[in-house]
Amino acid sequence: MAGHYRALAVGVEIPLLGFGTYLIPDEQAADAVEAAIRAGYRHIDTAEAYGNERGVGEGIRRGLAAVGIGRDEIFVTTKLFPGMGGVFKSAREVETAFEASLSALGLEHVDLYLIHAPFTPEQRLEQWGAVVGLHESGRARAVGVSNFNVRHIEELVAAGLPLPHANQIELHPWSQKPEIVRFLEGNGIVPIAYSSLVPLSTWRAAPGHASGKTDEMRADGESGDSPFKAMAAKHGVSEAQVLLRWGVQSGYPVLPKSTDPARIRENAEVFSFELDEDDMRVIAGLDRGAGVAWRTGDPVNNA
């Protein structure tokens, strides 16, 4: 998969194919991450809030040894849990949390460190200033945010702080977010896509999913005339591969997650085909607006 990268503003290259670890328990994370590295993934995404950084780090070490590559060939992202219930981490607590993440991962640096979500303006500015300091120290090769909207990012600039290098947001054919994507691209901020597989009936398909959209996704995903089914049949691939291919073909690093080694390998096969102009045109017309991953509503659409 050489060459399937995108450069961040600081010159660090981020692989377009990433392996997501959200909802993978710590005790399963090592096996899943090792399987991903064996399958060719060179971008591993975790977070303080996922509670699996220790297992992810073990999986990275095992994976590197298994395929005979060095740490510099793996791109590792983790995220700051900013706080909750009106209690947010101070600048000093950001550094403490970052050091705890490094320790759990067993790494001397990460390639990308993100603030996981925006809350109050005061919190955003203090935490972003601390995160920028981690980048300046070299312990985070690139830094960014997640779930921030245009106004959130403009606030950082207005305060005299640097722009983020990336913004990880919910992006898929049902939530294409053209306004913020234009803003990010116009300011040299790389959009990273999560929840790329939302339109499938199997996406977090447990009854009563927080978004309230499970039944809708199941019905649409199982429909015989699903456009994703048609595209998958045309290209001889899976519907998941179609959705992931749309992401990378749009220039977004994607983060598919699985604990099934066969599915992990299948999801990695996104560079063996291309969606044609008709496919991309059809998908452009499927946008439904806000994302569905958050119980409280898509943060990018919130004030």
Side-chain angles (χ1 to χ4, degrees), residues 52-65:
N52 61 13
E53 289 173 313
R54 196 165 301 280
V56 167
E58 175 62 22
I60 290 171
R61 287 186 291 277
R62 283 167 32 186
L64 295 180

Side-chain angles (χ1 to χ4, degrees), residues 99-114:
E99 292 296 343
S101 288
L102 285 186
S103 177
L105 288 163
L107 300 175
E108 294 182 356
H109 72 273
V110 294
D111 300 283
L112 180 61
Y113 192 54
L114 306 176

Side-chain angles (χ1 to χ4, degrees), residues 1 35 82 108 165 169 187 201 209 217 268 289:
M1 286 179 285
E108 294 182 356
H165 304 136
I169 56 178
N187 285 278
S201 61
H209 176 260
M217 285 184 284

Side-chain angles (χ1 to χ4, degrees), residues 50-181:
Y50 298 172
N52 61 13
E53 289 173 313
R54 196 165 301 280
V56 167
E58 175 62 22
I60 290 171
R61 287 186 291 277
R62 283 167 32 186
L64 295 180
V67 300
I69 60 175
R71 163 68 180 93
D72 60 345
E73 295 188 54
I74 292 287
F75 187 100
V76 181
T77 298
T78 194
K79 310 176 195 76
L80 169 75
F81 180 64
M84 63 184 300
V87 179
F88 306 113
K89 288 186 172 77
S90 66
R92 178 171 294 181
E93 289 169 326
V94 168
E95 179 146 357
T96 299
F98 177 77
E99 292 296 343
S101 288
L102 285 186
S103 177
L105 288 163
L107 300 175
E108 294 182 356
H109 72 273
V110 294
D111 300 283
L112 180 61
Y113 192 54
L114 306 176
I115 298 176
H116 209 148
F119 290 99
T120 69
E122 294 76 18
Q123 166 261 330
R124 289 193 286 274
L125 294 177
E126 180 169 359
Q127 292 182 354
W128 180 239
V131 167
V132 168
L134 295 172
H135 169 61
E136 292 172 345
S137 76
R139 290 172 291 169
R141 295 177 68 220
V143 290
V145 295
S146 183
N147 301 300
F148 275 46
N149 63 27
V150 171
R151 184 177 63 79
H152 298 149
I153 295 171
E154 287 178 337
E155 285 175 356
L156 305 180
V157 176
L161 294 166
L163 284 167
H165 304 136
N167 186 13
Q168 189 181 119
I169 56 178
E170 183 178 344
L171 276 175
H172 47 77
W174 281 7
S175 185
Q176 298 181 34
K177 298 184 170 69
E179 180 182 354
I180 189 167
V181 167

Side-chain angles (χ1 to χ4, degrees), residues 228-237 275-276 278-279:
F228 307 118
K229 278 187 170 61
M231 292 176 200
K234 179 169 73 172
H235 295 287
V237 297
L275 299 174
D276 59 36
D278 286 341
D279 297 329

Side-chain angles (χ1 to χ4, degrees), residues 198-250:
V198 158
L200 298 185
S201 61
T202 52
W203 183 81
R204 298 192 207 166
H209 176 260
S211 70
K213 298 291 186 74
T214 301
D215 291 341
E216 176 186 346
M217 285 184 284
R218 182 176 292 114
D220 286 2
E222 293 174 353
S223 171
D225 61 358
S226 161
F228 307 118
K229 278 187 170 61
M231 292 176 200
K234 179 169 73 172
H235 295 287
V237 297
S238 70
E239 292 172 79
Q241 288 170 315
V242 168
L243 292 166
L244 295 171
R245 180 66 207 183
W246 174 82
V248 299
Q249 204 162 311
S250 299

